[in-house]
Amino acid sequence: MTIRQIAAAQLHGLVGAEVALSDWFTVTQSRIDEFADAIEDRQWIHIDPKRAAHESPFGTTIAHGFLTLSLLSHLFESAIHIEGTRLGINYGLNRVRFSGPVPAGSRIRGRFVLSRLQDLADGVQMTWHVNVEREGVTKPVLVSEWLTRSHL
């Protein structure tokens, strides 16, 4: 998929619209294991495929909800570039729901709707309604209201 190039001046006209849909991204077991090590959360449902196959209601290991959340930046950047941005930062989250599991090997993608835009002295603050979808599943696996800033 081609990254959508948007001039910052165009953002005002996009409020309320779906601005970006990322490519599919595979959440591998090795990525889940590395994330578990990074955050010191090695619960068996994430890192023990054999046990998860027998004891988990999902029949396999699943990604940490926080791993899925942390992939928002990657999913966003793989779909959209705001031209003229010298610095982009995560500003926070107003709301997050982990609404479904992400089994190891699943493919996910992000849908980004620009729900609010505020001008700043040196850029813009954007509020994004984000649904992270899992391939083959109707219900999103993550729903969030994510705030980002682009300094121009």
Side-chain angles (χ1 to χ4, degrees):
M1 181 179 285
T2 303
I3 296 175
R4 183 175 180 185
Q5 303 287 329
I6 297 177
Q10 294 175 295
L11 289 170
H12 286 284
L14 296 172
V15 173
E18 181 176 288
V19 177
L21 174 63
S22 75
D23 286 336
W24 291 105
F25 178 85
T26 303
V27 181
T28 63
Q29 184 62 53
S30 62
R31 184 169 302 273
I32 294 168
D33 293 342
E34 291 169 1
F35 190 80
D37 287 342
I39 67 166
E40 301 290 335
D41 180 352
R42 296 180 187 89
Q43 187 181 98
W44 64 267
I45 199 165
H46 303 301
I47 64 165
D48 189 339
K50 190 172 184 177
R51 184 174 177 187
H54 292 81
E55 296 182 40
S56 166
F58 310 110
T60 187
T61 55
I62 60 169
H64 304 73
F66 286 122
L67 170 55
T68 306
L69 180 64
S70 69
L71 288 169
L72 289 185
S73 293
H74 169 72
L75 296 172
F76 183 84
E77 290 174 0
S78 74
I80 186 173
H81 174 73
I82 300 169
E83 295 171 353
T85 298
R86 66 179 170 79
L87 172 66
I89 62 169
N90 290 314
Y91 191 64
L93 297 147
N94 287 336
R95 161 180 191 138
V96 177
R97 295 292 180 268
F98 303 115
S99 48
V102 177
S106 294
R107 292 186 349 140
I108 61 171
R109 70 179 176 186
R111 287 188 178 275
F112 298 86
V113 173
L114 182 58
S115 59
R116 186 169 183 214
L117 183 73
Q118 296 170 267
D119 289 314
L120 303 173
D122 65 342
V124 292
Q125 178 172 300
M126 295 158 284
T127 303
W128 299 95
H129 176 81
V130 184
N131 281 349
V132 176
E133 304 171 340
R134 187 176 106 202
E135 189 174 38
V137 177
T138 305
K139 182 181 177 185
V141 296
L142 182 142
V143 177
S144 70
E145 188 175 82
W146 181 39
L147 287 79
T148 64
R149 287 187 169 183
S150 288
H151 297 275
L152 307 171

